[in-house]
Amino acid sequence: MGDTETYTVTGPDGDEESFELPAGLVDVLSEQGEPATAVVSDVVVQAMAQQAHVIVHHSEGDVPEDIAEMNETAAELFEERFGQSLEDALGHSH
């Protein structure tokens, strides 16, 4: 196994989870001068918004109202962070 870098996420109640990524991968994904933590945070926001989208729009049956609201909030946060709608980034809308 190659070299790794450790990142840690802290939740709102103070619990922490650390994880390893291949050394240099975050640099490959970053723009010049962008902090590594911003890159990892961007990926988390993107992944969570995509997962919420999948749960609401691509699963069988009705989705509870609270989960639909979480999806809407995730899409709004995505747009605030990246300056484009999640629908545009995904290449489709519902």
Side-chain angles (χ1 to χ4, degrees):
M1 181 163 66
D3 293 338
T4 62
E5 299 172 329
T6 303
Y7 291 86
T8 301
V9 175
T10 303
D13 58 1
D15 60 329
E16 292 185 352
E17 179 73 26
S18 294
F19 57 94
E20 301 289 320
L21 293 174
L25 179 60
V26 173
D27 293 335
V28 171
L29 300 174
S30 69
E31 295 179 11
Q32 187 173 7
E34 187 177 21
T37 53
V39 175
V40 173
S41 298
D42 283 350
V43 171
V44 170
V45 170
Q46 179 184 9
M48 296 299 281
Q50 287 175 320
Q51 290 301 311
H53 173 89
V54 167
I55 291 167
V56 170
H57 296 291
H58 299 279
S59 61
E60 298 291 324
D62 293 331
V63 175
E65 187 174 321
D66 62 331
I67 294 176
E69 185 177 329
M70 288 177 210
N71 175 61
E72 289 177 23
T73 300
E76 291 169 4
L77 292 169
F78 181 94
E79 187 166 354
E80 286 176 16
R81 187 171 190 110
F82 298 107
Q84 68 174 330
S85 72
L86 181 61
E87 291 177 343
D88 287 347
L90 295 174
H92 74 274
S93 62
H94 297 272

